[in-house]
């Protein structure tokens, strides 16, 4: 296993640029002023070496100000030092590099121009008495090449820093997007579980209430009918409890829950039979040849029928009749649930009036289910009484 010490050291160096530059400036002074300046035999090398080393401490924190200090010291050197270039003048190349790497783009270009001008001035100041004009041009060109090389290296460093910053920003945005997708997925899952719970509980309780009322009225005259009603209540309660456990199982974290298949269009036959057993006169009409559909639209069709029959049990009134029609069209499944009960007033009251529904449930929940799979749903009173719910679910959901 690799030691984490190099990584910690690299992280510390990135987090403390001022301390790193201070150490480098001290090393620069020792090498180019003390060691190499002593060989020059002049106190000017040590003095200007010290002065030129100090701005290097802020070459990344404040590159423009540090470069201005180096330029001022360079001009002062041209006036006071008449012998030769000093070893510490390498600080000018370091500042050209720093401007190209860390300063704004305008300062980077200005540093290149000033460096080239300084190359010409240094050649004229220190080498014009020694060389012919042609050689002087070559000398100025050689100094200028070093300036351009330092600037090019700094510009490459700038590009690298920008690339790293872009990658870090992209990683940050991807992490934010991932967190947002997780929150949206959790919200959608909670909404799905809420819809499923509403459908299961509302339908099961409606059947239980209808069976209990029927058993109470038939108890004295027909004990067998009362017993049958109690058996239906027991079966409906057990089924509702099983459905609730399967829904709430997805909220557990131990992963030990068992998953049961979701109801589909084929289960509508059993659903209608259960409602018939509760005392509602309901007929199932199937038109066309069944077509293979994804699980999502099939579950939506089942829940729409379940919720609509639940509303019939709650609002249609006694001795009402209902029809469930499944029409397999060439492009979509058309689901219709009609009743001849007490009409739209009672049904709508169940949504907005005396029996308020939570947002996202009831008619609104059915409409959301249909739209989720690219379909549509309409619910309105029927002419002559009763209420009708019609939904169209395409065989293929939109991508």
């Amino acid at each position: 296993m690799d030691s984490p010490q190099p990584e910690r050291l690299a992280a510390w160096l990135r987090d403390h640029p001022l301390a790193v530059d201070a150490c480098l400036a001290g090393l620069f002074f020792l090498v180019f002023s003390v060691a190499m300046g002593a060989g020059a035999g002049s106190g000017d090398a040590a003095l200007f070496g010290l002065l030129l080393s100090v701005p290097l401490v802020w070459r990344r924190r404040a590159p423009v100000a540090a470069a201005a200090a180096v330029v001022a010291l360079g001009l002062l050197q041209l006036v006071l030092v008449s012998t030769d270039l000093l070893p510490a003048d390498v600080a000018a190349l370091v500042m050209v590099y720093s401007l190209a790497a860390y300063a704004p783009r305008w300062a980077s270009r200005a540093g290149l121009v000033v460096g080239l001008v300084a190359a010409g001035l240094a050649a004229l100041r220190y080498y014009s008495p020694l060389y012919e004009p042609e050689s002087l041009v070559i000398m100025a060109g050689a100094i200028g090449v070093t300036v351009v090389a330092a600037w090019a290296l700094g510009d490459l460093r700038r590009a690298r820093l920008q690339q790293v910053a872009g990658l870090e920003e992209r990683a940050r945005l991807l992490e934010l997007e991932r967190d947002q997708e997780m929150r949206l997925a959790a919200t959608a899952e909670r909404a799905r579980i809420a819809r499923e719970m509403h459908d299961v509980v509302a339908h099961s309780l409606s059947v239980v209430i209808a069976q209990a009322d029927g058993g109470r009225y038939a108890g004295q005259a027909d004990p067998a009918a009362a017993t049958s009603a109690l058996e239906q209540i027991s079966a409906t309660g057990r089924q509702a409890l099983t459905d609730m456990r399967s829904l709430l199982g997805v909220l557990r974290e131990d992963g030990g829950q068992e998953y049961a298949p979701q109801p589909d269009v084929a289960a509508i036959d059993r659903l209608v039979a259960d409602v018939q057993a509760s005392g509602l006169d309901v007929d199932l009409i199937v038109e066309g040849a069944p077509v293979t559909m994804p699980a999502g639209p099939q579950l939506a069709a089942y829940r729409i029928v379940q919720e609509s029959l639940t509303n019939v049990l709650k609002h249609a009134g006694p001795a009402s009749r209902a029809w469930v029609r499944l029409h397999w069209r060439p492009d979509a499944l058309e689901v219709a649930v009609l009743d001849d009960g007490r009409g739209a007033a009672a049904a709508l009251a169940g949504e907005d009036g005396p029996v308020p529904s939570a947002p996202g449930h009831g008619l609104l929940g059915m409409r959301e289910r249909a739209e989720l799979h690219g379909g549509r749903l309409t619910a309105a009173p029927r002419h002559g009484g009763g209420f009708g719910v019609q939904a169209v679910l395409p065989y293929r959901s939109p991508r």
Side-chain angles (χ1 to χ4, degrees):
M1 182 176 180
D2 295 337
S3 174
Q5 294 300 328
E7 296 181 0
R8 293 180 180 178
L9 178 60
W12 188 90
L13 294 177
R14 288 194 302 268
D15 296 337
H16 301 82
L18 188 62
V20 174
D21 289 340
C23 294
L24 293 178
L27 182 62
F28 179 90
F29 172 72
L30 292 176
V31 173
F32 291 98
S33 299
V34 177
M36 299 180 67
S42 173
D44 294 336
L47 176 61
F48 276 95
L50 175 62
L51 295 177
L52 289 172
S53 299
V54 173
L56 298 182
V57 178
W58 291 276
R59 69 183 186 89
R60 282 189 284 183
R61 182 65 62 87
V64 176
V70 171
V71 170
L73 290 172
L75 294 176
L76 185 63
Q77 177 185 340
L78 289 176
V79 175
L80 299 180
V81 180
S82 59
T83 57
D84 198 352
L85 286 174
L86 301 176
D89 289 334
V90 178
L93 298 178
V94 175
M95 289 312 307
V96 170
Y97 169 89
S98 301
L99 287 174
Y102 308 111
R105 180 59 71 179
W106 65 267
S108 171
R109 297 190 179 98
L112 176 61
V113 173
V114 172
L116 294 176
V117 172
L121 292 177
L124 290 174
R125 177 69 175 84
Y126 298 112
Y127 300 108
S128 58
L130 304 176
Y131 297 97
E132 297 295 330
E134 295 80 1
S135 301
L136 187 63
V137 172
I138 294 176
M139 181 62 66
I143 300 175
V145 167
T146 60
V147 172
V148 173
W151 184 88
L153 291 175
D155 199 61
L156 289 176
R157 176 63 176 170
R158 173 194 294 273
R160 174 61 179 170
L161 292 175
Q162 290 177 347
Q163 182 183 14
V164 171
L167 292 175
E168 291 177 350
E169 178 67 13
R170 182 180 179 185
R172 186 185 68 84
L173 293 177
L174 288 175
E175 184 176 358
L176 291 177
E177 183 179 358
R178 183 197 63 184
D179 294 340
Q180 185 178 10
E181 288 179 352
M182 292 177 61
R183 289 193 296 269
L184 291 176
T187 301
E189 183 65 12
R190 286 194 296 268
R192 185 191 70 82
I193 293 176
R195 287 195 299 266
E196 298 294 326
M197 289 288 293
H198 172 268
D199 293 341
V200 170
V201 173
H203 175 74
S204 301
L205 289 180
S206 298
V207 173
V208 167
I209 292 172
Q211 288 287 344
D213 290 340
R216 182 181 59 181
Y217 290 120
Q220 297 179 353
D222 190 356
T227 301
S228 177
L230 292 176
E231 292 176 351
Q232 182 67 24
I233 289 174
S234 177
T236 302
R238 287 191 179 94
Q239 183 61 41
L241 184 59
T242 301
D243 293 341
M244 289 179 62
R245 283 176 176 173
S246 65
L247 288 173
L248 295 178
V250 300
L251 301 179
R252 298 175 59 188
E253 297 180 354
D254 55 9
Q257 66 273 16
E258 295 183 358
Y259 297 96
Q262 293 282 7
D264 53 11
V265 176
I268 294 178
D269 192 3
R270 175 63 182 276
L271 174 64
V272 171
D274 292 340
V275 175
Q276 286 176 339
S278 68
L280 177 65
D281 187 5
V282 54
D283 295 327
L284 174 62
I285 304 171
V286 180
E287 300 176 353
V291 177
T292 302
M293 296 178 62
Q298 291 205 53
L299 176 62
Y302 180 89
R303 294 305 187 194
I304 289 172
V305 173
Q306 185 183 50
E307 175 68 19
S308 299
L309 291 178
T310 300
N311 289 337
V312 173
L313 287 172
K314 291 193 297 184
H315 308 304
S320 59
R321 187 176 182 184
W323 297 267
V324 176
R325 185 170 70 95
L326 301 179
H327 182 195
W328 296 93
R329 294 176 6 188
D331 58 339
L333 172 63
E334 182 178 348
V335 179
V337 180
L338 313 174
D339 69 79
D340 60 354
R342 286 184 284 127
L348 291 176
E351 295 298 323
D352 303 314
V355 187
S357 296
H361 302 320
L363 294 180
L364 180 58
M366 289 190 291
R367 186 173 291 109
E368 289 178 349
R369 285 184 181 275
E371 293 176 352
L372 179 63
H373 300 286
R376 61 183 185 276
L377 182 140
T378 58
R382 299 177 60 207
H383 295 291
F387 198 77
V389 176
Q390 292 183 331
V392 177
L393 299 171
Y395 296 137
R396 292 186 178 181
S397 301
R399 295 184 182 273

